[in-house]
Amino acid sequence: MGAGGIGGYIGARLAQAGGDVSFIARGAHLAAMLQTGLSIQSDLGSFVLAPVSASKAAVDIGPVDLVIFAVKLYDSEEAAASIAPLVGANTRIVTLQNGIDSVEILCRHLPRDRVIGGATYLSGFISKPGEVVHSGGLPQNLVGGQRDSIIEQLRELCDRAVGLELKPVADIDEVLWEKFVTLCAFSGGTALMRSGIGPILADPEARIFIEKLRDEGMAVAAAAGHPMADGFPGRVETRWSAFPPHVKSSMANDLERGRPIEVAWLSGRMHQLGMKLGVATPGHTAVFRALHLHALGTQRQNSNL
């Protein structure tokens, strides 16, 4: 569900490995996929998946074993309400969205026992209709559903795929919070500073800012009852350094392209939680307020003028 940078890349790699994969997409991207296939550009090997099974409507696909839910957070409610035709007697829905609210959003529309939280550190974006660029990141995907038979089948398929690893974990909430803190800093920093991660880490002043975002997130998480485990700053450094220097967050890429951005669910959520929990978040508050004007994207913003 969602064939963008994450959904498109993971789905294409699973299909390349022999999985029976269908995509739900829309607009020019869907039209290009149906006409010429889905092109994946990656340092791990580029390829074109063709023909592609894709549609704009879940009813055209019908019940499946597994739904990978990878739409942008601002489309979550509408997308979650639309996927009922995909859900059969034993279907699992794995969300690989950003933030900490995805599971709760999905559970407003779907049975709670079918929804499984997940986190990915892959990075990718749609460069043009029908083409997804895999821009790096660690290949490991962490999901709940440990000992679930459907999740085990997905893990086996990932083992056969290029550049995908799947690790089922017992406590997905802690994983989601760790990614939330990591990603909020990465997204907020690269979007506000309009820079790839390499120059940010190399510049003393820019590094201070992105590390401040990280530390604010750690404080908020601890106050919310989800303290980061020992060694967290080192793990963040490893994840950020795994990207090529030019890589920016998907929010930074969307900002540059005039598309809607997820700032309300990332730095905006940190700002909201900080106010609720009594934790100062001046960095994330600045990111949220500075980028809030662009939250709807150029096209939607102009349509409201």
Side-chain angles (χ1 to χ4, degrees):
M1 182 67 187
I6 298 301
Y9 179 73
I10 291 177
R13 287 297 190 193
L14 293 177
Q16 186 186 35
D20 180 7
V21 179
S22 295
F23 298 89
I24 297 179
R26 61 187 179 186
H29 189 47
L30 172 62
M33 289 168 63
L34 293 174
Q35 183 173 1
T36 59
L38 176 58
S39 173
I40 301 296
Q41 301 299 313
S42 171
D43 289 343
L44 300 178
S46 300
F47 67 102
V48 176
L49 180 67
V52 173
S53 172
S55 175
K56 66 178 181 180
V59 69
D60 295 334
I61 296 170
V64 297
D65 296 318
L66 176 77
V67 178
I68 296 177
F69 195 82
V71 304
K72 294 291 187 179
L73 286 164
Y74 44 76
D75 286 330
S76 294
E77 294 282 0
E78 180 182 355
S82 75
I83 65 172
L86 300 175
V87 181
N90 295 300
T91 303
R92 303 292 185 271
I93 303 100
V94 172
T95 171
L96 292 179
Q97 294 179 287
N98 296 326
I100 52 173
D101 300 304
S102 179
V103 170
E104 192 59 38
I105 291 171
L106 281 167
C107 288
R108 289 201 282 267
H109 302 274
L110 300 160
R112 184 170 290 272
D113 61 353
R114 305 292 187 85
V115 179
I116 297 173
T120 181
Y121 286 94
L122 292 167
S123 180
F125 60 93
I126 298 174
S127 56
K128 62 182 181 181
E131 181 176 275
V132 167
V133 174
H134 167 230
S135 49
L138 298 175
Q140 191 176 76
N141 301 278
L142 305 171
V143 300
Q146 199 174 46
R147 293 184 294 277
D148 183 280
S149 61
I150 299 294
I151 298 300
E152 180 58 25
Q153 291 177 56
L154 177 62
R155 186 194 63 77
E156 292 172 356
L157 184 58
C158 286
D159 285 346
R160 301 197 298 271
V162 174
L164 288 183
E165 299 174 12
L166 190 78
K167 181 181 179 182
V169 298
D171 188 352
I172 193 61
D173 284 344
E174 296 307 308
V175 170
L176 295 179
W177 270 91
E178 181 162 317
K179 183 189 175 182
F180 179 54
V181 174
T182 305
L183 181 67
C184 282
F186 179 68
S187 291
T190 58
L192 192 64
M193 291 188 276
R194 311 296 203 274
S195 173
I197 188 63
I200 290 174
L201 296 178
D203 180 82
E205 294 297 329
R207 177 183 272 270
I208 287 172
F209 183 69
I210 201 168
E211 289 181 347
K212 174 66 174 173
L213 295 178
R214 177 202 65 199
D215 294 345
E216 288 178 8
M218 291 176 66
V220 167
H226 299 277
M228 297 296 99
D230 291 343
F232 173 73
R235 291 195 298 279
V236 171
E237 181 80 18
T238 297
R239 287 163 182 157
W240 289 347
S241 299
F243 291 114
H246 67 276
V247 168
K248 304 173 185 177
S249 65
S250 61
M251 187 168 80
N253 288 322
D254 287 339
L255 179 66
E256 288 181 354
R257 291 166 172 79
R259 296 172 179 166
I261 58 175
E262 296 181 323
V263 66
W265 290 268
L266 299 176
S267 285
R269 191 76 165 98
M270 281 292 187
H271 164 74
Q272 179 189 55
L273 286 167
M275 293 183 65
K276 176 182 177 181
L277 299 170
V279 177
T281 61
H284 281 295
T285 298
V287 171
F288 172 57
R289 289 175 174 163
L291 298 182
H292 187 262
L293 185 64
H294 307 280
L296 296 179
T298 302
Q299 293 180 345
R300 293 190 191 182
Q301 186 186 65
N302 290 342
S303 70
N304 291 332
L305 294 178

